[in-house]
Amino acid sequence: MRPLTYAFAAGAIALPASASTVTVTIPRLNVAEYHRPYVAVWLEPQGGGPARTLAVWYDVKKGGQEPGTKWLSDLRAWWRKGGRALKMPASGVSGATRAPGSHAIPLPADLKPGAYVLNVEAARETGGRELVSVPLTVPSPRGGGAGKAELGAVTIR
Amino acid sequence: MKPRFLSLLAGAAALLTIPAGVSAHRMWFLPSGTVFSGTDSWVTVDAAVSNDLFFFDHQPGRLENVKVWQPDGTPGQLQNGATGRYRSVFDVKLDKPGTWKIGSEMSGVIGSFKVNGEEKRVGGRRGPPQPGAPAPLTVADIPANATDVKLTETISRNEIFVTAGEPTTTVLKTTGRGLELAPITHPDELVAGEAAKFRFLVDGKPAAGLKVTAIPGGKRYRDAEGGMDVTTDAQGVATITWPSAGMYWLNATLTDAKSSQPRVTERRLAYTTTVEVLTP
């Protein structure tokens, strides 16, 4: 996947060498009607426990009869795991939907050592929905996974 | 509600008053969804009576007995109600976060007695009210010289739960009367492959050994009904593992003799709900 290469470069430039970064790739899709997906990225302790949302990309500026928050529950795994408890927009977490390509999200520096699962869920209007889960350990988190349809590579470096 | 709307409803079919167990026809509510995000959500609900779930091909549900409970337990508003030939439809604006309850509770006494050898019926008959027909007899109309008095009390509930934002439990509180659902698993947190635990209560006490039937929608597109029967344990808990995602019609009926009404010897209880099971 072509976008990956420059994503790593971007991550390396934007962040100090010591910080860990999650890179989420949104694939470019050749479809007649394309809308950028809603994406949620969150961490859960390996053995279960409260989820910590790292990023939610949705239609933050949509107003009128159907505000962008109306479709957040389409990210159904995230919604159930704790998305529904977040007040939107959430400072430092929510943002606008992203274009196809790779996007870097810093892992929080205050994570307690232990085993976690990083989840990335994407849901696209007139499209599909996909969840990619990647196990990781803190400190020195490393890992990767990939989606088949709505998500590309997900890496932790 | 506007008076014109009410009169329309009064003309609609009266099948909701069918006592439990008398007809195989199923009364159902079908919400457009059960899990909602955002602050301006609406749920729209179909109400109908039919054999196959969830196809409206027989009679519409009656709306005048449908009530809405807001997440804090106070009455909410049913809007845009309309009754067609085969179904009724209405909206509820979910303008408060939490779990809402929408449904109806029907209760009454039906039966028969004899006066001078002639049998007379107590309670309404099936079907829409007939213009010009005399009002149905009530228990109070039974004369002192009546013989062969056979009376049955019926209490049936049909209710659905929808959640805006985080699920809450205020509307899940039971009344202690009749057959009720006291869910352990929240009815708006059902996922395919996961077991849900639903406690059933009779007059507030665990309904042990109760048969609970769960039937998935979409009957037209398969051969078998595809229903599951689950029996409650000693604590009244039915454990249902959902084989796949979709809308399910849940029903339990019970007949006993524990009526609080005078002269009533039999009691028929029914509980019905529609739940949505999501994909993991």
Side-chain angles (χ1 to χ4, degrees), chain A residues 83-104:
Chain A
R84 64 195 184 193
L86 276 183
K87 193 167 160 30
M88 288 293 161
S91 176
V93 170
S94 54
T97 52
R98 305 293 172 93
S102 292
H103 304 278

Side-chain angles (χ1 to χ4, degrees), chain B residues 74-257:
Chain B
T74 59
Q77 207 189 351
L78 182 157
Q79 299 189 58
N80 304 329
T83 296
R85 172 63 185 85
Y86 285 141
R87 71 167 157 175
S88 293
V89 66
F90 61 89
D91 298 338
V92 176
K93 186 178 186 190
L94 307 175
D95 51 8
K96 290 182 186 145
T99 299
W100 296 61
K101 181 167 89 171
I102 302 165
S104 59
E105 183 192 322
M106 308 290 295
S107 58
V109 174
I110 55 163
S112 63
F113 61 90
K114 280 183 183 169
V115 182
N116 305 326
E118 189 193 352
E119 189 176 270
K120 290 179 183 288
R121 291 180 61 88
V122 173
R125 281 179 172 274
R126 288 175 58 182
Q130 300 296 324
L137 298 177
T138 67
V139 176
D141 297 325
I142 302 176
N145 63 341
T147 59
D148 300 287
V149 178
K150 280 183 221 147
L151 294 177
T152 298
E153 180 188 16
T154 64
I155 307 172
S156 57
R157 284 190 179 79
N158 191 336
E159 55 198 26
I160 54 172
F161 304 93
V162 299
T163 295
E166 282 195 275
T168 57
T169 56
T170 304
V171 298
L172 304 181
K173 209 172 156 236
T174 53
T175 66
R177 176 173 179 264
L179 187 56
E180 293 180 286
L181 173 67
I184 299 167
T185 307
H186 195 287
D188 290 336
E189 292 202 271
L190 308 180
V191 177
E194 292 185 10
K197 288 189 182 296
F198 288 154
R199 190 190 304 278
F200 285 85
L201 303 176
V202 182
D203 298 334
K205 296 187 186 70
L210 179 73
K211 190 180 90 172
V212 180
T213 302
I215 303 174
K219 166 71 176 67
R220 186 181 294 159
Y221 311 117
R222 57 176 188 263
D223 292 335
E225 178 127 277
M228 302 179 285
D229 285 338
V230 175
T231 304
T232 59
D233 64 13
Q235 282 75 48
V237 177
T239 303
I240 304 173
T241 303
W242 311 100
S244 58
M247 290 283 186
Y248 286 79
W249 185 81
L250 237 72
N251 174 259
T253 59
L254 184 63
T255 301
D256 65 18

Side-chain angles (χ1 to χ4, degrees), chain B residues 109 152-153 203 256-262 264-267:
Chain B
V109 174
T152 298
E153 180 188 16
D203 298 334
D256 65 18
K258 295 176 186 167
S259 178
S260 58
Q261 306 277 338
V264 173
T265 52
E266 188 190 54
R267 188 170 71 152

Side-chain angles (χ1 to χ4, degrees), chain A residues 69-70 73 76 79-80 84, chain B residues 37-38 40 167 189 191 194 279:
Chain A
T69 50
K70 177 175 176 179
S73 58
R76 57 177 182 257
W79 186 251
R80 185 171 180 234
R84 64 195 184 193
Chain B
S37 58
D40 191 34
E189 292 202 271
V191 177
E194 292 185 10
T279 315

